[in-house]
Amino acid sequence: MEQEYCPKNIEIYVQKYWKNKKTFHVYEDETKEKYYCLPMLPYPSGKLHMGHVRNYTISDVIARYQRMLGKNVLQPIGWDAFGLPAEEAAIKNNTIPSSWTYKNIKYMKKQLESLGFSYDWDREITTCKPDYYKWEQWFFIQLYKKKLVYKKNSLVNWCPSDKTVLANEQVINGCCWRCQSTVITKTIPQWFIKIRNYAEPLYNDLKKLKNWPEKVKNMQKNWIGRSEGFEISFDIYNSSKKIKIFTTRIDTLMGVTYLAISPFHKFSIYLSKKNQILKKFIETQNNENFSKEEIEAKKFYGINTNIFAIHPIIKKKIPIWIANYVINDYGTGSIMCVPGHNENDWNFAIKNHLKIKYVIQQSNIKNIQLNQNTFFPEKGILINSGEFNQLDYNNAIKKIKKKLSEEKKIKTKIIYKLKDWCISRQRYWGTPIPMATMKNGKIVPIPEKDLPVLLPEKIKNSDLLKNYSNTKSTYYTTKINNQTAVRETDTFDTFMESSWYYARYTCPHFKEGIINPTASKYWLPVDQYIGGIEHAIMHLMYFRFYHKLLRDFKFVQFDEPVKSLICQGMVLSEAFYQIGQNNQRHWIHKSNIYIEKNIKGEIITAKDKKGNKVIYAGMIKMSKSKNNGIEPELMIKNYGADTIRLFIMFAAPIESSLEWNESGVKGIYRFLKKLWKLSFNYIQIKHKYKNIDFNLLNKKQKNMYSLLHKTIAKVSDDINRRKSFNTAISQIMELVNILRKFQLENEEDKCIMKDSLISVIKMLYPFTPHLCFILWKHLNKNCFIDNERWPVFQKNFLLETNNILVVQINGKKQFTIEIPHNLTKKEIFIYVQNHSFFQKKIENKNIKKIIYIPKKIINFVI
Ligand code: ANZ
């Protein structure tokens, strides 16, 4: 064993051992409890950033800890390999997306290995490979057959000069990212999956996710947008037709002054057949060829149909308008309009000179002055509402509902804002959509025997641009049942690949189908999922949706894919800038700056290499644009993977932001060196180990042994129940510091030292596995730690320790006092009051009240 801790020498050696032995390879072992620990799969962007390192470290610590509890732990990794950046990088670097992607994967894989993550590498998934996307295509066809997929015209961003569809990210301030022309919208046919059919279970099942952050669940709730209200049926004057509207505010029914329907509503289309002006108006409403600003400016346009509805209670005629602020595919596509109390209706009524009637006022005060210059959106007391006057919101709803029910004109209704998922992308680097159009215009799926529909990987860069610009000149022809067909050139949204990969990890090589039900039954659901909060809505919604689809096809069980979710916080670091000529900020990397700090560690001055002043912007999220990234590779080179891993877990609670600070990293490095030295010194001593008899130990030994077991208890609870890794680590550090002072005076002392080191190394193994691997080997005659169990604390070794109380007078801290652990509350009060320091402070003053918080504070009010 080397005397000095040298991570470089040990980490590569240990990583090789794990790789050769396939230590973390797992299979379905029915005799063992399973644990599925899943970090979100990375996009192969080029190299790992600290955010990745944090994400994967958290996952690995949990995986290794669960393994030590004796569970069969699956921790897989893969690559979310399709997507736009590959196309952009290929154009920029004169390469092709596939080469760029595979090169990045190779590099990033090496980086992951250098961090010692315990993945089952045999399950690695690369989503741009045909053996993966074949099943994605197959499943899409099954959804198509079940009528869960449809094709519909839909708006996209369109660059008129490049004649290309643009992704949202490629529209910068309303302009094309490449040629800066103003982007307009265009209608093209696109594919959709009916996620709306699952809105209700997606909403309701959020209740089952007890171990998901509330924040994520709330974001999902808002995205689904559940709305509880009523559908009311309005008769049409001089017609047998009716119009159904959706409202959440029937208390405002008496204030309805007009109805509005969407230009695309069935009734609008019906009316437009006989009315040319209407027809023209509707045609101009598809928003094609307009920029985003133009569309916004056009809002609140409408046209009077000259047809009337009958108010269901007042029984008077009210005009029906066609209005472009009414969304066709929300609710019923038509609304009752109350301009006195609804913002949209107010704007439309003002613009089109329609009647405004106020029917709600804030309180019961009679003759309260209403502000006639605006709408009043809040709930309150009914006025101008005939028989419903003076009712409050709840009573008004009850009475109006009852009245309309008598005429069968009302139904309670729940609707959702969630829109169907548009999964087509007019891009090259994605999974080809496995559909084709026959000569007669019929759309058909590609026959299953012809799957996968391969994406040609080796294309010329110039072809890439052609595809990319979606000129349609590259449409592929194919044969289906011996007839010529034109294959779809659009590809899937990349969220498709990341929606089901977790299930494929359970059987990545399964050739007979998308998922092997036996494997998925054993491994699913995922016990712990770890990723960034930026995925709180889209990815996690599609992921939950896909699980429900797979469940309904009987490929997986359970209603939800993931039991527990951790969203790790951001990684921050110090950022510096100078103001340039156009008042622009130029961000300078810290390594190019000289910093002077005061004793508190605050920055007094910062200068660049030429001596010019630099402005400190504080700790902000690491990013390329702020030039404040810290290279994981450099950190590993300087301190080793174990130090980086331990620092990341120690520096902040996992869901909080982590401030990168190199002196903190150095502190962790020093700690590991000390632990190495402590272990080295012990290993040099030759002695005969024997089991400890606690009762025969002296006071010093009992205290040490008791502290060891207390630490095990606390660390176990911190990791397992509280997921509080930083506090767990600080307990271990404290124990190591005390162990370093523990003198080995006799045989028992040496045995206690060994027991303690064994537990410390086991507890640190999830965090610093390389170092622990080596120390273990030397402590235990060439044994391997990877299959060791987590240490168990023994209650009977826990000595009752005295309590420390903070003594306050009138809420102000005076001193701390050690209280014997066996005193009653009354005895504690006397014990404190007898303390000479207390008597000095209190002199002869009267004690009015004693506030006592057991084991914490005693406060005397005088
Ligand atoms: C009358 C009313 C009076 C309304 C009032 C609101 C306030 P949420 O909660 O977002 O679902 N609405 C319904 N369908 C619509 C559509 N297709 N396009 C545009 N607006 C629509 O909002 C429900 C309210 O949004 C409904 O209640 C309706 O306006 C409007 F003081 O009816 B309300």
Side-chain angles (χ1 to χ4, degrees):
M1 184 183 179
E2 288 184 35
Q3 191 166 352
E4 288 292 317
Y5 171 51
C6 181
K8 234 187 254 154
N9 295 352
I10 63 168
E11 289 183 357
I12 293 176
Y13 164 79
V14 179
Q15 285 154 16
K16 265 198 190 139
Y17 171 86
W18 288 331
K19 197 170 181 172
N20 293 338
K21 292 274 176 204
K22 294 197 174 198
T23 311
F24 307 109
H25 175 64
V26 279
Y27 58 92
E28 293 92 75
D29 178 352
E30 294 294 345
T31 63
K32 271 179 151 183
E33 185 186 345
K34 70 92 188 177
Y35 190 89
Y36 186 176
C37 183
L38 180 66
M40 286 184 187
L41 89 176
Y43 176 74
S45 52
K47 52 185 178 180
L48 293 184
H49 54 65
M50 269 310 169
H52 286 127
V53 180
R54 189 175 193 196
N55 191 178
Y56 300 127
T57 300
I58 295 169
S59 174
D60 196 51
V61 168
I62 295 173
R64 286 182 187 266
Y65 169 72
Q66 291 293 334
R67 228 173 258 128
M68 293 182 89
L69 298 183
K71 295 183 195 166
N72 191 22
V73 176
L74 167 60
Q75 193 194 196
I77 194 78
W79 308 96
D80 191 12
F82 275 136
L84 195 54
E87 293 184 21
E88 290 172 359
I91 294 169
K92 204 166 137 201
N93 303 322
N94 201 23
T95 172
I96 54 172
S98 57
S99 314
W100 183 81
T101 306
Y102 292 129
K103 198 177 109 213
N104 290 349
I105 289 177
K106 201 169 156 200
Y107 189 77
M108 289 170 80
K109 183 171 176 177
K110 253 175 76 189
Q111 288 190 303
L112 288 179
E113 282 171 337
S114 76
L115 280 152
F117 297 139
S118 58
Y119 300 131
D120 180 352
W121 282 105
D122 287 347
R123 292 173 189 260
E124 185 180 357
I125 280 175
T126 306
T127 60
C128 63
K129 292 209 171 147
D131 60 348
Y132 182 76
Y133 69 66
K134 170 187 172 168
W135 295 111
E136 194 165 300
Q137 294 174 332
W138 177 85
F139 193 59
F140 182 78
I141 293 171
Q142 310 315 306
L143 296 179
Y144 178 78
K145 287 181 181 164
K146 282 243 152 125
K147 300 203 167 21
L148 283 162
V149 156
Y150 62 94
K151 198 173 190 182
K152 187 184 87 171
N153 279 341
S154 174
L155 286 182
V156 290
N157 302 310
W158 180 262
C159 171
S161 37
D162 282 358
K163 295 198 174 36
T164 172
V165 173
L166 297 175
N168 283 340
E169 310 88 283
Q170 295 176 317
V171 183
I172 297 162
N173 298 330
C175 298
C176 170
W177 68 294
R178 249 190 316 180
C179 68
Q180 279 80 46
S181 349
T182 304
V183 172
I184 58 166
T185 49
K186 198 175 166 68
T187 309
I188 60 166
Q190 305 208 67
W191 288 97
F192 290 82
I193 305 188
K194 292 186 187 169
I195 190 170
R196 274 184 109 155
N197 285 19
Y198 283 73
E200 194 179 313
L202 281 169
Y203 190 93
N204 290 340
D205 288 353
L206 285 170
K207 279 192 221 92
K208 297 180 183 162
L209 302 175
K210 301 264 179 306
N211 292 313
W212 277 45
E214 283 307 316
K215 191 175 161 192
V216 174
K217 287 191 275 187
N218 283 334
M219 284 163 90
Q220 294 234 335
K221 272 186 194 165
N222 291 337
W223 181 263
I224 299 168
R226 183 180 190 273
S227 204
E228 247 178 74
F230 301 94
E231 193 178 276
I232 301 177
S233 178
F234 280 75
D235 292 335
I236 296 180
Y237 179 67
N238 261 349
S239 162
S240 58
K241 286 194 184 318
K242 292 179 196 308
I243 286 192
K244 286 183 178 156
I245 64 92
F246 173 77
T247 180
T248 46
R249 292 286 306 268
I250 49 165
D251 57 314
T252 64
L253 180 65
M254 301 300 275
V256 173
T257 56
Y258 66 101
L259 294 193
I261 54 180
S262 147
F264 308 106
H265 190 279
K266 278 203 307 276
F267 194 58
S268 307
I269 309 287
Y270 163 78
L271 294 176
S272 72
K273 285 187 184 142
K274 295 181 222 147
N275 183 336
Q276 279 308 310
I277 304 171
L278 246 178
K279 196 167 174 213
K280 268 238 156 79
F281 174 73
I282 292 171
E283 275 166 12
T284 57
Q285 293 307 312
N286 65 12
N287 286 335
E288 189 151 353
N289 299 329
F290 287 103
S291 70
K292 290 229 157 89
E293 282 97 64
E294 284 169 317
I295 293 171
E296 195 47 39
K298 277 196 330 173
K299 213 176 159 189
F300 302 118
Y301 273 60
I303 197 157
N304 191 348
T305 63
N306 293 321
I307 292 177
F308 295 90
I310 309 283
H311 192 287
I313 290 174
I314 309 171
K315 308 285 184 200
K316 278 196 178 153
K317 290 197 306 187
I318 44 174
I320 302 176
W321 279 68
I322 292 177
N324 69 355
Y325 72 98
V326 185
I327 305 156
N328 194 42
D329 56 359
Y330 185 61
T332 60
S334 43
I335 56 178
M336 63 177 218
C337 303
V338 191
H341 302 284
N342 177 299
E343 185 173 8
N344 280 341
D345 300 345
W346 168 270
N347 287 330
F348 189 81
I350 294 286
K351 192 163 187 163
N352 297 290
H353 313 289
L354 294 166
K355 234 171 90 186
I356 296 169
K357 182 179 171 192
Y358 292 96
V359 288
I360 308 285
Q361 78 177 16
Q362 205 161 13
S363 71
N364 237 340
I365 305 163
K366 281 206 174 133
N367 302 328
I368 193 170
Q369 210 52 38
L370 273 164
N371 180 357
Q372 307 267 339
N373 295 323
T374 186
F375 57 96
F376 176 68
E378 278 139 59
K379 291 169 186 166
I381 304 295
L382 268 63
I383 52 166
N384 300 330
S385 296
E387 59 195 283
F388 309 111
N389 273 347
Q390 297 305 312
L391 293 177
D392 65 8
Y393 175 76
N394 289 326
N395 283 319
I397 292 228
K398 263 189 221 152
K399 290 253 161 76
I400 294 175
K401 196 175 145 194
K402 189 159 175 259
K403 179 109 185 174
L404 291 180
S405 301
E406 285 159 11
E407 297 185 37
K408 295 204 167 45
K409 285 198 157 81
I410 191 165
K411 266 200 280 188
T412 51
K413 196 166 174 177
I414 295 166
I415 62 170
Y416 298 91
K417 289 213 172 63
L418 186 69
K419 292 210 172 75
D420 277 344
W421 178 14
C422 173
I423 49 83
S424 27
R425 295 289 178 276
Q426 296 71 39
R427 312 240 66 91
Y428 157 71
W429 189 235
T431 302
I433 298 182
M435 304 295 289
T437 311
M438 308 298 287
K439 262 200 174 145
N440 61 6
K442 198 173 167 217
I443 295 173
V444 292
I446 301 292
E448 285 176 23
K449 68 175 172 41
D450 295 335
L451 296 181
V453 175
L454 284 175
L455 181 76
E457 281 195 359
K458 294 207 164 50
I459 55 155
K460 279 190 249 128
N461 203 331
S462 51
D463 281 349
L464 171 64
L465 269 169
K466 232 195 261 166
N467 265 326
Y468 193 63
S469 63
N470 194 31
T471 56
K472 301 285 175 196
S473 61
T474 47
Y475 254 26
Y476 307 107
T477 51
T478 184
K479 283 261 186 257
I480 294 177
N481 298 334
N482 275 333
Q483 288 181 33
T484 313
V486 179
R487 217 210 0 92
E488 180 70 70
T489 49
D490 283 4
T491 51
F492 283 146
D493 175 6
T494 56
F495 276 122
M496 287 281 274
E497 284 92 56
S498 52
S499 292
W500 67 285
Y501 75 110
Y502 72 101
R504 185 70 184 172
Y505 274 143
T506 67
C507 53
H509 310 294
F510 190 56
K511 291 212 165 56
E512 287 79 52
I514 180 168
I515 281 145
N516 177 350
T518 324
S520 76
K521 187 178 172 197
Y522 179 80
W523 290 113
L524 293 181
V526 172
D527 294 276
Q528 182 67 65
Y529 198 26
I530 307 118
I533 188 79
E534 66 275 19
H535 297 298
I537 325 181
M538 295 215 279
H539 164 62
L540 287 170
M541 186 70 76
Y542 300 140
F543 190 78
R544 295 180 57 228
F545 169 50
Y546 243 77
H547 184 80
K548 291 178 195 300
L549 291 172
L550 290 168
R551 175 203 61 191
D552 292 348
F553 277 87
K554 309 243 173 329
F555 292 120
V556 299
Q557 302 180 325
F558 301 103
D559 295 332
E560 286 289 330
V562 166
K563 274 195 197 164
S564 169
L565 174 72
I566 292 174
C567 290
Q568 91 268 11
M570 291 184 294
V571 186
L572 319 179
S573 85
E574 291 176 322
F576 302 85
Y577 65 89
Q578 281 170 332
I579 305 274
Q581 278 172 345
N582 310 328
N583 255 348
Q584 267 178 340
R585 288 179 177 188
H586 295 292
W587 296 89
I588 307 171
H589 197 268
K590 194 178 170 189
S591 55
N592 296 321
I593 293 174
Y594 296 109
I595 297 168
E596 215 183 298
K597 288 187 178 178
N598 63 16
I599 19 171
K600 284 190 206 152
E602 294 157 340
I603 295 176
I604 313 167
T605 53
K607 286 183 181 148
D608 66 9
K609 288 197 167 151
K610 287 183 196 145
N612 298 320
K613 223 179 148 201
V614 175
I615 301 162
Y616 173 53
M619 277 277 181
I620 49 182
K621 187 184 172 190
M622 278 188 194
S623 73
K624 262 192 202 151
S625 63
K626 302 283 168 5
N627 206 355
N628 66 337
I630 302 286
E631 285 296 333
E633 215 163 65
L634 185 69
M635 290 294 121
I636 297 169
K637 193 173 142 233
N638 291 349
Y639 304 101
D642 282 337
T643 294
I644 304 309
R645 293 171 57 121
L646 190 59
F647 171 74
I648 281 179
M649 298 304 286
F650 175 67
I654 47 179
E655 289 182 342
S656 309
S657 299
L658 185 157
E659 298 191 351
W660 194 269
N661 134 19
E662 204 160 333
S663 58
V665 176
K666 284 184 178 145
I668 293 288
Y669 188 50
R670 276 197 303 274
F671 165 73
L672 293 182
K673 278 183 150 181
K674 283 182 208 158
L675 174 65
W676 181 278
K677 196 163 169 212
L678 179 69
S679 311
F680 177 84
N681 289 344
Y682 166 75
I683 290 163
Q684 304 316 304
I685 307 167
K686 300 279 175 274
H687 77 106
K688 242 199 170 146
Y689 175 79
K690 62 175 192 315
N691 281 337
I692 300 276
D693 182 343
F694 187 70
N695 295 325
L696 298 180
L697 298 179
N698 63 28
K699 196 172 172 211
K700 167 193 125 178
Q701 293 165 336
K702 272 188 176 155
N703 279 342
M704 188 66 238
Y705 219 66
S706 173
L707 178 71
L708 169 67
H709 282 265
K710 247 190 210 159
T711 308
I712 298 173
K714 178 80 175 47
V715 171
S716 308
D717 186 52
D718 275 0
I719 295 185
N720 202 2
R721 186 181 59 84
R722 299 178 61 222
K723 293 209 170 72
S724 172
F725 300 92
N726 57 329
T727 52
I729 296 167
S730 70
Q731 301 283 330
I732 303 172
M733 286 175 163
E734 228 174 284
L735 177 67
V736 170
N737 282 338
I738 292 170
L739 274 175
R740 288 177 57 224
K741 291 179 207 139
F742 186 72
Q743 300 285 332
L744 304 186
E745 291 159 337
N746 55 34
E747 282 309 297
E748 274 86 16
D749 285 349
K750 291 172 195 165
C751 297
I752 288 172
M753 179 56 94
K754 176 156 187 179
D755 280 353
S756 305
L757 281 176
I758 280 185
S759 293
V760 164
I761 289 165
K762 280 182 171 181
M763 288 190 286
L764 274 177
Y765 171 76
F767 305 97
T768 58
H770 309 88
L771 170 113
C772 295
F773 182 100
I774 299 292
L775 292 184
W776 188 264
K777 242 178 113 185
H778 290 294
L779 268 174
N780 292 289
K781 294 202 192 88
N782 285 328
C783 286
F784 297 98
I785 193 171
D786 302 312
N787 296 320
E788 283 299 324
R789 291 295 160 89
W790 186 255
V792 182
F793 77 93
Q794 298 197 13
K795 253 197 181 149
N796 44 340
F797 296 162
L798 302 183
L799 289 179
E800 280 282 359
T801 46
N802 296 341
N803 294 319
I804 308 284
L805 269 190
V806 172
V807 181
Q808 295 181 337
I809 294 177
N810 290 341
K812 249 189 166 171
K813 181 179 165 179
Q814 306 296 326
F815 58 95
T816 51
I817 185 169
E818 194 173 335
I819 311 276
H821 64 85
N822 50 359
L823 297 192
T824 63
K825 190 170 157 185
K826 234 186 196 163
E827 286 165 341
I828 291 174
F829 290 2
I830 296 164
Y831 190 86
V832 176
Q833 286 176 52
N834 283 341
H835 196 281
S836 62
F837 202 60
F838 181 83
Q839 287 178 349
K840 235 194 245 162
K841 288 263 165 193
I842 206 117
E843 285 168 347
N844 290 324
K845 290 192 192 103
N846 246 347
I847 297 171
K848 290 185 194 137
K849 202 170 153 190
I850 303 175
I851 302 160
Y852 172 61
I853 305 171
K855 297 185 180 173
K856 283 194 177 131
I857 294 171
I858 184 160
N859 180 21
F860 294 87
V861 181
I862 56 172

